[in-house]
């Protein structure tokens, strides 16, 4: 019997889908019920994008090659200088492309 026809596997997939849906909709429901967001909760909500970005960039920095590390450092410096994310993305992408084309080969 294949894993896809296993009843236990179907229940696991259904449970994961329900849990994912509930966690996504819970934020909307909670914020629609609460009229005044406490300052600590607002600060925590404001920190979420930085935390998500860190979870995406940190593994690439530690597990990637030196060109990835150089691109992340260049993008970080550019991001500190400019408020728009577009120059940061352009600089990081350009550094990786130049390193891979001219230095790595």
């Amino acid at each position: 019997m294949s894993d896809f026809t296993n009843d236990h596997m179907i229940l696991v997939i259904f449970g994961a889908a329900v849990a994912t849906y509930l966690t996504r909709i819970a934020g909307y429901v909670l914020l629609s019920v609460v009229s005044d967001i406490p300052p600590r909760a607002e600060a925590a909500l404001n920190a979420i994008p930085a935390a998500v970005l860190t979870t995406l960039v940190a593994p690439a920095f530690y597990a990637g090659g030196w060109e990835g590390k150089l691109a992340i450092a260049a993008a970080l410096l550019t991001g500190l200088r400019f408020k728009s994310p577009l120059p940061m993305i352009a600089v990081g992408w350009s550094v990786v492309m130049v390193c891979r084309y001219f230095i790595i080969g």
Side-chain angles (χ1 to χ4, degrees):
M1 179 182 275
S2 167
D3 285 340
F4 292 109
T5 59
N6 189 347
D7 290 340
H8 181 70
M9 183 61 72
I10 292 171
L11 286 175
V12 168
I13 292 171
F14 180 74
V18 169
T20 300
Y21 179 74
L22 290 177
T23 55
R24 288 180 181 230
I25 198 168
Y28 293 112
V29 171
L30 181 65
L31 290 178
S32 67
V33 172
V34 176
S35 59
D36 292 327
I37 300 173
R40 285 184 172 219
E42 187 172 349
L45 290 173
N46 289 334
I48 288 175
V52 170
L53 187 62
T54 302
T55 60
L56 294 175
V57 171
F61 185 80
Y62 288 110
W66 62 271
E67 73 276 6
K69 292 178 172 90
L70 186 63
I72 291 172
L76 174 68
L77 293 175
T78 305
L80 293 174
R81 173 67 176 93
F82 299 101
K83 297 297 180 193
S84 173
L86 192 58
M88 183 174 65
I89 293 169
V91 167
W93 180 79
S94 299
V95 168
V96 167
M97 291 298 113
V98 167
C99 288
R100 287 183 181 171
Y101 186 77
F102 290 110
I103 298 172
I104 294 176

